Amino acid sequence: MKHTAYPCAKINLGLNIVERRPDRYHNIETIFYPIPLCDELEIEESAEDNLILSGIPVAGELNDNLVMKVLSQLRADHDIPPVCITLKKNIPSGAGLGGGSSDAAETMKALNSMFDLGMGHEEMERRVAKLGADCAFFIKREPTVAKGIGNIFTPTDVKLEGLYLALIKPDEFVSTKEAYSLVTPQKPKTPVEEVVKRPIREWKTLLKNDFEASVFTKHPIISEIKENLYILDAEYVSMSGSGSSVFGLFKNKPKDIDFVFGQHFTFTSKL
């Protein structure tokens, strides 16, 4: 028995750091939007548990990988035989794209299907959210307004179909802790779910990622990438999450992406 899945990445449409909570976390508001940049996941029964990684390197011990944590969590309540998990990483880490969270969600869905665990979407979302606030988004993989610490979801009908996406990820690491430490929380004048109802050309001045100001100061290359995507005639450009990837949305297929950004990880696709 083998299960194959393709965990997708996400981008953030806007990211407002609304307030600091008593528990030292922050309340945010953002829109998670799935994009067709995907890892490759295969799970099959085996003589013993094993995780085989390939593609873009992933830091850390194998047992600390979220896919193995999903397996361990489910085994606490279900009889799951040994499995071999093969994961090819195409989504870069430390990019604000949710690759690890997506791998976790797809692993949970795959094990649920393979071994008839009987979990519905709500139970899988609840379980996988224990491993990370954005993990639950990847169970359904639909455009979603996320509030709270990124764990309170509301569906949204924002659609980017027909636009072209260019995604650039420089070889820079942005610490999420560092990014939060330099942000002053404030409530936006207009919620993200209202801004995205406006024409996309207006998003440039209205749809903000609050992390950009602090991250750009310490990592100017990320700011340069944003500027260059606008020079290439993007309709809207933003850093995703706390970085370090930057995406541009185009009405027409973007030209010269590889020429301009060839020294970085690049991905382009029609949405």
Side-chain angles (χ1 to χ4, degrees):
M1 182 189 303
K2 179 187 290 188
H3 187 104
T4 302
Y6 299 91
C8 73
K10 60 82 180 165
I11 54 175
N12 291 75
L13 300 179
L15 203 170
N16 300 318
I17 312 301
V18 177
E19 61 186 354
R20 186 176 174 86
R21 296 157 52 107
D23 60 9
R24 302 176 69 90
Y25 288 94
H26 290 80
N27 285 327
I28 68 169
E29 64 171 39
T30 187
I31 292 177
F32 294 143
Y33 196 95
I35 61 171
L37 171 61
C38 299
D39 289 338
E40 301 168 45
L41 175 73
E42 285 190 350
I43 303 178
E44 59 184 331
E45 291 190 47
S46 178
E48 60 183 9
D49 286 334
N50 194 16
L51 173 60
I52 301 171
L53 294 176
S54 63
I56 298 173
V58 178
E61 299 294 327
L62 291 182
N63 285 338
D64 290 332
N65 192 288
L66 288 181
V67 300
M68 299 304 288
K69 289 186 177 182
V70 167
L71 179 61
S72 178
Q73 184 201 98
L74 290 178
R75 279 220 177 105
D77 299 305
H78 299 281
D79 184 17
I80 298 174
V83 293
C84 178
I85 301 176
T86 304
L87 179 62
K88 182 180 179 183
K89 291 294 299 179
N90 300 315
I91 303 170
S93 302
L97 300 173
S101 298
S102 186
D103 296 338
E106 288 298 331
T107 298
M108 182 162 289
K109 289 193 289 184
L111 293 172
N112 183 49
S113 175
M114 290 175 68
F115 301 109
D116 297 320
L117 304 185
M119 295 185 294
H121 283 157
E122 288 188 5
E123 182 178 353
M124 287 191 288
E125 287 174 349
R126 176 179 57 79
R127 280 180 171 272
V128 79
K130 296 176 183 178
L131 303 176
D134 66 343
C135 290
F137 160 74
F138 292 100
I139 295 295
K140 294 180 181 176
R141 305 193 339 179
E142 297 173 348
T144 299
V145 177
K147 296 188 178 182
I149 59 171
N151 63 336
I152 300 173
F153 296 158
T154 305
T156 175
D157 60 1
V158 61
K159 291 180 175 61
L160 302 180
E161 284 87 348
L163 295 174
Y164 289 87
L165 170 79
L167 179 74
I168 316 298
K169 198 279 182 185
D171 188 20
E172 296 268 327
F173 176 78
V174 178
S175 163
T176 302
K177 182 179 179 181
E178 172 190 69
Y180 268 110
S181 71
L182 299 171
V183 170
T184 301
Q186 59 181 340
K187 293 184 179 181
K189 293 181 179 179
T190 308
V192 290
E193 61 264 40
E194 295 300 320
V195 174
V196 296
K197 295 178 182 178
R198 297 172 179 261
I200 192 170
R201 276 284 183 179
E202 297 182 17
W203 291 8
K204 183 176 181 179
T205 56
L206 297 172
L207 194 62
K208 302 293 186 180
N209 181 334
D210 285 345
F211 284 126
E212 287 187 351
S214 59
V215 170
F216 288 176
T217 299
K218 293 203 169 187
H219 304 274
I221 185 63
I222 303 175
S223 177
E224 292 173 17
I225 291 171
K226 180 173 181 176
E227 292 171 4
N228 285 329
L229 283 168
Y230 272 124
I231 290 172
L232 294 176
D233 204 29
E235 299 289 315
Y236 175 70
V237 182
S238 177
M239 189 171 72
S240 187
S242 58
S244 59
S245 68
V246 179
F247 66 90
L249 299 175
F250 295 77
K251 283 191 174 178
N252 300 306
K253 188 175 182 179
K255 300 177 180 178
D256 300 325
I257 294 295
D258 289 334
F259 176 77
V260 175
F261 302 107
Q263 72 272 35
H264 306 305
F265 173 91
T266 63
F267 172 78
T268 57
S269 177
K270 190 172 185 179
L271 296 173

